[in-house]
Amino acid sequence: MSFELKNVVPWGRNLEEYTKIFKLNDTDINGKLISFGDGPASFNSEMAKLGKTVISLDPIYQFSKTELKLRIDQTKETVIEQMRINQDNFVWKNIKSVEELEQIRMDAMANFVDDFELGKEQGRYIHHELPNPTIYDDLTFDLGLSSHFLFLYSQLGLDFHIQSITEMLRICKEIRIFPILNLNAEKSEVFDGIINHFNSDFVVSIESVDYEFQKNGNEMLVIKRKMN
């Protein structure tokens, strides 16, 4: 089944959020980074302006700047209205209000849209859909990230998650996934299966982070290769 933009609800996060979500330090930021399912985040754009390079992968990158901007405009009011209705389900600590959330998200997505065509030319935005194989050699990247995709969309199933994470680990020395909850802010249904699958061959840990928007959503999964 082909990927259709009409089924996408774009929602972008920025560099400050990524830094908190994934506990990124100077070593991380200066390493070889790849981010899976980045969507319309401004993480890549902001890193590029700092002279850092991130490769972002997402199926929406097959579409044009015009198509992506239109889809953002079509969906933003619906998303914000849903946030107002469901605001008791969130922790208003890092972000103080629905109005501030809207400003942060729209700024991030505008930043992404402005950078998109240049980023595609420079090979920073790559059309790719997990769990399909990527074009990269084994252990090309120091760190792989997945923000608000894996675990969150647990309905994709355990097999999808295992195949996706396996490909991430093939090309990355370490991966970090945030959050580890599903869309209902509950422990993801695929969590235990993933831990059990990767625990024997990799170093698997759960780390607290200085970011919480979903209630209890302040932990990330870290999977590293074992040292020989």
Side-chain angles (χ1 to χ4, degrees):
M1 186 168 61
S2 62
F3 184 90
E4 296 187 23
L5 189 58
K6 68 180 182 181
N7 297 325
V8 174
V9 180
W11 208 227
R13 293 167 180 83
N14 59 31
L15 173 59
E16 180 181 355
E17 291 177 288
Y18 269 64
T19 301
K20 291 178 178 178
I21 283 169
F22 295 114
K23 296 175 76 169
L24 298 177
N25 57 32
D26 288 344
T27 301
D28 297 329
I29 285 174
N30 287 306
K32 297 187 74 172
L33 284 169
I34 187 167
S35 195
F36 298 80
D38 249 3
S42 62
F43 175 56
N44 194 311
S45 171
E46 291 182 76
M47 287 282 281
K49 288 171 184 172
L50 294 173
K52 316 297 181 185
T53 300
V54 179
I55 302 297
S56 293
L57 306 182
D58 200 287
I60 72 168
Y61 301 155
Q62 67 187 284
F63 301 105
S64 69
K65 172 182 177 178
T66 301
E67 289 172 310
L68 292 172
K69 186 177 186 306
L70 177 61
R71 186 60 185 160
I72 290 169
D73 292 340
Q74 287 171 338
T75 58
K76 63 182 181 181
E77 295 301 332
T78 300
V79 176
I80 292 301
E81 182 57 30
Q82 286 298 312
M83 293 302 305
R84 288 196 178 94
I85 292 169
N86 297 300
Q87 58 186 298
D88 289 345
N89 296 334
F90 299 93
V91 177
W92 300 95
K93 178 183 71 170
N94 298 91
I95 299 169
K96 306 300 184 187
S97 66
V98 175
E99 290 72 27
E100 183 181 350
L101 175 71
E102 180 177 11
Q103 188 67 54
I104 291 170
R105 294 288 172 265
M106 296 313 298
D107 285 351
M109 291 192 286
N111 195 328
F112 160 78
V113 168
D114 288 345
D115 180 59
F116 182 60
E117 290 178 340
L118 175 61
K120 283 195 78 170
E121 287 176 15
Q122 295 176 341
R124 292 186 284 111
Y125 296 114
I126 305 293
H127 167 216
H128 175 266
E129 187 172 359
L130 285 171
N132 297 326
T134 62
I135 61 174
Y136 303 104
D137 293 333
D138 293 356
L139 302 180
T140 296
F141 299 94
D142 298 311
L143 180 60
L145 308 175
S146 173
S147 166
H148 295 85
F149 175 53
L150 296 176
F151 285 120
L152 194 65
Y153 293 93
S154 55
Q155 66 269 30
L156 292 169
L158 180 59
D159 287 346
F160 175 93
H161 280 76
I162 287 174
Q163 290 174 36
S164 297
I165 292 171
T166 298
E167 176 60 15
M168 292 169 70
L169 288 167
R170 183 185 69 78
I171 65 172
C172 302
K173 298 171 186 173
E174 174 183 339
I175 67 169
R176 300 176 191 174
I177 300 172
F178 179 94
I180 59 174
L181 305 177
N182 63 21
L183 289 167
N184 296 319
E186 299 166 342
K187 186 176 85 168
S188 180
E189 294 86 343
V190 299
F191 178 84
D192 290 337
I194 289 170
I195 300 301
N196 292 337
H197 183 86
F198 291 99
N199 212 21
S200 58
D201 295 326
F202 296 88
V203 178
V204 179
S205 61
I206 305 299
E207 294 191 19
S208 297
V209 301
D210 185 26
Y211 185 94
E212 184 179 5
F213 191 52
Q214 275 186 305
K215 287 184 177 178
N216 301 314
N218 61 348
E219 294 177 319
M220 68 173 172
L221 175 69
V222 180
I223 306 180
K224 301 179 183 179
R225 294 186 168 270
K226 290 183 175 179
M227 301 297 290
N228 293 326

